[in-house]
Amino acid sequence: MPDTPTALDMKPLSTGAHPYPRPDSPPVLAPGAAENTLNVWLVPRFSMLTLFCLLEPLRVANRFGRDLFAWRLLSADGEAVVASNGVRIDVDGRLDQLRTGEPRQAPEAVCEQASASMARMRLMVVSSYEPEASVDSESRAVLRWLAAHGAWLGGLDTAPFILARAGVLAGHPVALHWESVPAFQQEFPELDVSSAPYEWQGERLTGSGGAASIDMMLAWIERLYGPSLADAVGRQIMHQRTAVNVESPTPRDSSLPRSVVRALAVMEANLAQALPIPVVCRLAGQSQRQLTRLFVAQFGETPKQCYLGMRLDHAQRVLADSRVSVSQAAFATGFTHLAHFSRAYQQRFGEAPSVTARRGLAAE
């Protein structure tokens, strides 16, 4: 029951408004309107189950956060695609439209901007029966072009065949549907086939499809926004996460009170636009006094202190892992005054944010 009244609506609430999503709330964000857009290439006779399990965690995550995920369905020719169950699915565009932004003899600054844009490009290939029957050389060329420009590429069910034949899986462990493993190993003996439900290494993500796609998307949500949001989404869709051997933060204790889990999910989904604590409490369905008591009992901190710590921890990761400036990291974590950010950062980590930024740059 994914749409029960336990879901949270992150839209601004006016006095007297119901704290849960309205039935007419837009279920899907337009590509480009969200912080993360996932392009999904549907290959004829794809698995409908895999597609649903891929997208539903993202849809539910949007009910906890602000414009977190959107997706765009693609086909090789831009026409509707028929799934293995006979259902016809309309798409939003053609696969080759992903490379329309290819710079041609552009100035260096334009090339750098295009490269940064490609690094944020994400394409997931979904197939099932006869994955190569309708995949031509032009489609494989698009995959190679995306890989060469730093795009994030994934394949589910039998789609690793498509990626491997395009030559974009070298050096990466591969997970795919168990029925396809013997044929895959025979065709690609140089690739390491994993028995895990999915494998995520660098910019390559492969999985067995079906229900395992839920765990894969929850892992993505967790990497981007933290374990509380991922756990809340999993609970909302009645899914018990499966432990897999991939790089992922440790989930929070499942014994935490439900209102605490909701509050943490709200906080982690809104690191860049800090919410007032009364709004967090309202969205968590708990009074501020009671939520404060629960937070102090669980963490030894008030909700305000915990929220501040989350934002500072995120700022530290941003500074250590990228080339952003201190002011950019501050604004990205909801701080409007740089001096306030620097003081809080110094107090939490014992060093100025500029020191962290220089160390991260030197390590890179």
Side-chain angles (χ1 to χ4, degrees):
M1 50 180 201
D3 290 317
T4 57
T6 58
L8 305 179
D9 186 6
M10 294 305 299
K11 295 180 178 179
L13 299 175
S14 58
T15 303
H18 198 277
Y20 303 120
R22 294 170 49 186
D24 59 350
S25 297
V28 180
L29 295 169
E35 295 179 13
N36 307 277
T37 295
L38 179 65
N39 296 285
V40 183
W41 175 21
L42 300 179
V43 178
R45 302 191 71 191
F46 70 92
S47 166
M48 186 71 79
L49 174 62
T50 296
L51 178 63
F52 285 170
C53 291
L54 180 72
L55 299 183
E56 277 299 284
L58 307 183
R59 180 191 69 83
V60 173
N62 285 345
R63 303 182 70 184
F64 287 84
R66 296 183 185 275
D67 302 344
L68 302 181
F69 297 99
W71 51 89
R72 180 191 294 112
L73 302 182
L74 306 171
S75 66
D77 57 6
E79 299 297 325
V81 185
V82 178
S84 59
N85 61 1
V87 175
R88 185 180 179 89
I89 298 293
D90 290 329
V91 298
D92 304 302
R94 301 191 316 274
L95 175 66
D96 61 7
Q97 290 174 327
L98 295 181
R99 61 183 293 180
T100 56
E102 179 178 6
R104 298 182 182 275
Q105 296 181 344
E108 183 177 352
V110 176
C111 290
E112 290 181 358
Q113 183 178 6
S115 298
S117 177
M118 288 306 305
R120 295 191 296 272
M121 177 72 72
R122 302 180 179 93
L123 174 66
M124 183 67 71
V125 186
V126 179
S127 65
S128 184
Y129 298 102
E130 302 175 355
E132 282 288 287
S134 60
V135 178
D136 56 20
S137 58
E138 288 188 16
S139 297
R140 288 191 290 271
V142 172
L143 295 178
R144 287 192 291 270
W145 186 88
L146 292 171
H149 287 76
W152 181 99
L153 296 175
L156 301 176
D157 200 329
T158 60
F161 278 97
I162 299 173
L163 298 178
R165 286 167 183 162
V168 298
L169 288 182
H172 299 275
V174 181
L176 70 164
H177 195 280
W178 62 270
E179 284 185 332
S180 301
V181 168
F184 190 91
Q185 289 177 320
Q186 183 174 1
E187 184 172 353
F188 305 102
E190 73 281 6
L191 295 180
D192 179 21
V193 176
S194 168
S195 61
Y198 65 90
E199 285 287 347
W200 193 340
Q201 185 183 89
E203 302 302 313
R204 297 294 178 270
L205 175 57
T206 53
S208 57
S213 305
I214 297 178
D215 287 310
M216 185 180 65
M217 288 295 97
L218 292 178
W220 187 29
I221 293 171
E222 183 172 328
R223 289 186 180 203
L224 292 174
Y225 299 105
S228 291
L229 181 59
D231 291 347
V233 171
R235 291 186 183 189
Q236 189 66 20
I237 60 178
M238 304 298 294
H239 178 75
Q240 181 66 42
R241 299 180 67 182
T242 302
V244 293
N245 186 26
V246 295
E247 179 185 350
S248 178
T250 303
R252 295 190 190 276
D253 187 352
S254 60
S255 66
L256 289 175
R258 179 170 295 183
S259 59
V260 172
V261 173
R262 290 178 183 168
L264 291 170
V266 170
M267 293 174 182
E268 289 183 335
N270 292 275
L271 296 176
Q273 186 177 358
L275 300 176
I277 294 301
V279 174
V280 173
C281 295
R282 187 175 183 182
L283 292 172
Q286 190 69 270
S287 69
Q288 185 169 348
R289 179 177 179 181
Q290 179 66 3
L291 191 66
T292 299
R293 185 186 69 80
L294 291 172
F295 263 70
V296 171
Q298 295 290 334
F299 310 120
E301 294 182 322
T302 65
K304 183 176 181 179
Q305 292 169 328
C306 190
Y307 198 6
L308 175 62
M310 286 182 181
R311 292 160 58 203
L312 291 170
D313 290 345
H314 183 61
Q316 184 192 46
R317 291 193 296 271
V318 169
L319 288 170
D321 298 336
S322 67
R323 296 187 177 187
V324 303
S325 65
V326 172
S327 59
Q328 287 174 320
F331 295 145
T333 48
F335 291 91
T336 57
H337 299 287
L338 190 56
H340 175 214
F341 169 71
S342 297
R343 285 195 300 270
Y345 192 98
Q346 176 83 38
Q347 184 175 2
R348 185 170 183 83
F349 301 113
E351 67 179 21
S354 58
V355 175
T356 305
R358 286 195 299 270
R359 186 168 60 250
L361 187 60
E364 182 180 342

